[in-house]
Amino acid sequence: MRPLLLFLVMMLTLSPEAWGQKKKRSVYEERELKEVLVKPKRQRYRRKNNPAVELMRKVIAAKGEHQLKRNDYVRYNKYQRITTALDNITQEMIDSVALLQRPLIRRQIEFCPQTGKYILPFNYSETVSQYLWRREPELERNYILGTNSEGITDLFSLGDNVNTVLQSVFTDVNIYDDVLTLFEREFTSPLSSRAAISFFQFFIEDTIQVDNQPVIQLNFVPQNPQDFGFSGRIWVLHDGSYRVHKCLLNLPLRSSVNWVNTLVIEQKFTDLPNGQRVLQTDDLFAELGILKKQRQLVLHRSTNYTQLSIDSIPDVYFLPSDKRREGITNVEDSSFWASHRVDTLSWGESGLKQMSEQIYDVAGNSALLYIARSAVSNYFETSNRNNQSLVDIGPIMSMVSKNTIDGWRFRFGGQTTARISPHLFFKGYVAYGTRSKNWYGLGEVEYSFLRKQYTPLEFPKHSLTLQWQNDVFSPADVMWQHGRAKDNAWTSFKWTAVDHMMYQRLGQLTYEVETNDHLDLKITGKNSRITPCGDLFYQRLDSPLPAYTLGTDAVRHLHTTELTLSLRWAPGEEIINSKQRRQYVNHNNPVLGFAHTFGLKDVLGGDYRYNTSELTFYERVWLKSYGRIDINVRGAIAWNKAPFPLLLMPVANNSYLITRDMFNMIQNLEFINDRYASLQVEWDLSGKLLNRIPLLKALKLREVIGFKTLCGHLSSKNDPTLHPGDHDLFYMPSSAGQSIVHPMSHTPYMELSVGLHNILKCIRIDYVRRLNYLDYPGVKKHGFRACMQFDF
């Protein structure tokens, strides 16, 4: 979704010279140069005996008195609207033949006081919510009362997804917090208790009257211009209370944040009856574009907090909301918004629905929009009208792929939408391999206990799913939690041959329920028949193994019956729904997962009894101006004696694409263990080093360092070399009579990666190096991986 947002920026920000108009400096830039980029006199800045620093120390010390959660109860309503518009609409454009022939679009043009230019609004989204909090017992509720969006993004089947992305990127900030999060980055607040005095330089500008109140005006700039930080102004009430009246934050002109050329945040505060000073309005204006010389987009995020109260709240208000559990918050009732909007829509915003309909009705536009929607969603819709499709055909990128068993593989699939039924969904595909001459397929039916708007993936889920599938996989595909994600055109190109494959025919029943706190419970029953193919074979230890061919006593099929209980908790997670899978737009929150699988012998033909447990953890750690570190920890244990297909193996990425959570240089089936622990660490320095090199600074490259390690052990009960003739265990996989499984010693496997991203603002290239276990045949020591990565 973030790439799509940036795609819209690229498509809509045309060069002003293309319209015969020279670009003028925006009011944002003038304001930043005139007011915010404060330059001290030609003298050394000192903190000691500096009245501005002493004043800020007192303001910071007093900020704890204005925290809302010092009270026993907190309640307020929040209304937020995000409007995007095309900036710098000139008189030549207004008088052009193209706009004269489209009077409805021409009428949308309006004057923007923030930029001092004419703009053309093309989308807005709005959300109204109610926040409740109590101290004893501590409980928090954030009820989404309604959402609404109008504009051209609805023509792309995006709806609330764009609003979710924008809210995640342009998050709410409050200078009373120590850290301000924007663009999925962390900035030091000018009121940070830990770092404000050392990070910023403060200057007292004047004592003036603002809103009929005497205030002290302070300016601040980062101590080091190379660090990520805001410049701005703070107006402190001149009454001895050291309360903030309002503030202005600007992104410096020399900032290396992508796509955002100018950004201004203005916040105003108000008094509660108990004297606390709390945030009342939060306005954000940003100009987005590829380059500052190009035409830009204007983004305005307006947030208002109303009905602020610290009075007692009845317990009934903290009960879960049935409407929120339904997962549908879109409200189109005009009377609802008339009563909940803090302000009125502008002329351009109020006409967006009619404008988007006119755009769609223009000859030729419907076909272009259909193609664009298909490219964005990876599915072909069966209706030209947005969100009117009964069945979606796809995924498009899985229609043609390649593997060693099938050669070229062709697949045709589809899924129903909520236009047929908001509760019952069908999904399936058929596939054919040109080399194997095999047909494959999947059939799935899902019943959602909650009403859905379009797909069953919408949050929260509460569903029962029945699935049947017959297809070919590699063992790494089965281990990966995302399922058959490697049936994809891009991942068909691999740096190593994957010759050991298997056919799997399975029936599966899954019950899944999610809570509003993003706790996901899933119970899955699965019965499968696994048949080795390619160079993979299953043969028991009590039968002779020929040197190079499969023995006549080989196990043709392995039958399993499993019951899996899995939990996943991701508090604060932001989700957007595509037609194929969920995408997570906010990676700043921890994610904890646990799963246990019971293998049931003699139940529906199951051959073995086994138990497997897995624990996963993800955390992002911010290092201020030194970027961020993403940490993934995974551990698993296979508790019982079982043949190697039922043991554990690391998830190997054998393609040239960068894929997180996977090892880059481990080959398929290289390490098989019955217990392992892995650690994957990635440090994105955000250009901390390269931005200090004069020749490289202009490229705005960003460095990233990764380290992945695996500790594994195969216990004696599952080691085939210690149990010759054992009927329950299998020979380990081999190729041309030579084992491809490498035993792990007490030394963990390690690999290192060093890369650059932000290449042309969208490309990432990593050099990966395997550090040990290098003496085995076929092992590759190093390589390059790449992907598209869009970051602000």
Side-chain angles (χ1 to χ4, degrees), residues 519-532:
L519 177 63
D520 184 8
L521 168 65
K522 189 182 297 184
I523 302 174
T524 302
K526 182 173 70 174
N527 179 264
S528 64
R529 188 190 73 176
I530 303 172
T531 304

Side-chain angles (χ1 to χ4, degrees), residues 253 284 290 470-471 558 578 745 774:
L253 289 174
L284 180 148
I290 307 302
N470 180 32
D471 215 325
L558 177 64
S578 67
S745 64
L774 303 174

Side-chain angles (χ1 to χ4, degrees), residues 265-277:
I265 300 174
E266 185 174 5
Q267 296 185 336
K268 295 183 179 180
F269 296 79
T270 189
D271 289 326
L272 292 179
N274 63 355
Q276 283 186 310
R277 194 79 174 171

Side-chain angles (χ1 to χ4, degrees), residues 78-80 126-130 143-146 336-337 340:
K78 174 185 173 183
Y79 172 78
Q80 184 174 88
E126 54 189 342
T127 303
V128 59
S129 59
Q130 184 181 55
Y143 296 122
I144 306 299
L145 304 182
F336 172 88
W337 291 107
H340 286 85

